[in-house]
């Protein structure tokens, strides 16, 4: 940790705005804000309809951190991560 602190950058982490859980967690795992990953809230309105649905992993645009790591041979393990359903094959564990 000391080497990381001495040689790295320390910045204040900003949350997504507005700071909804799904959009914030998706910003964390993609490194992008809502405009790029497409998750703005706990529900998405269907096109040309008044109906809504709850987004899942398949609605996230772009690669996720665990996909990048897993695809590059790194072991991953994530537990109770929002928007991880439906589970995908990874080099490691999804709980």
């Amino acid at each position: 940790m000391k080497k990381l602190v001495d040689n790295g950058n320390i910045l204040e982490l900003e949350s997504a705005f507005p700071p909804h859980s799904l959009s914030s967690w998706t910003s964390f795992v993609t490194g992008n804000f809502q405009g790029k990953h497409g998750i703005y809230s706990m529900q998405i309105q269907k096109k040309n309809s008044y109906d809504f649905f709850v987004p899942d992993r398949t609605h996230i645009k772009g690669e996720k951190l665990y996909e990048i790591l897993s695809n590059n041979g790194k072991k991953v393990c994530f537990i109770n991560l929002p928007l991880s359903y439906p589970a995908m094959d990874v080099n490691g564990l999804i709980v």
Side-chain angles (χ1 to χ4, degrees):
M1 288 299 287
K2 180 173 176 20
K3 183 178 178 182
L4 183 63
V5 170
D6 291 343
N7 298 320
N9 291 322
I10 298 176
L11 303 170
E12 185 174 326
L13 181 63
E14 293 184 28
S15 182
F17 184 82
H20 298 293
S21 181
L22 289 187
S23 62
S24 296
W25 277 107
T26 306
S27 292
F28 171 75
V29 298
T30 63
N32 295 314
F33 283 107
Q34 298 97 323
K36 285 196 172 185
H37 63 62
I39 304 298
Y40 293 91
S41 68
M42 301 286 281
Q43 58 187 4
I44 298 174
Q45 186 171 7
K46 292 181 181 179
K47 290 185 180 185
N48 302 319
S49 173
Y50 292 109
D51 294 332
F52 289 85
F53 64 92
V54 177
D56 62 30
R57 181 185 56 80
T58 63
H59 296 102
I60 300 173
K61 298 174 190 167
E63 280 192 301
K64 279 78 73 198
L65 176 62
Y66 51 85
E67 288 178 322
I68 295 167
L69 293 170
S70 184
N71 291 339
N72 285 286
K74 304 294 182 189
K75 287 225 179 235
V76 298
C77 175
F78 59 96
I79 300 169
N80 203 24
L81 181 66
L83 291 180
S84 58
Y85 175 85
M88 60 178 284
D89 289 331
V90 293
N91 182 21
L93 301 169
I94 298 174
V95 179

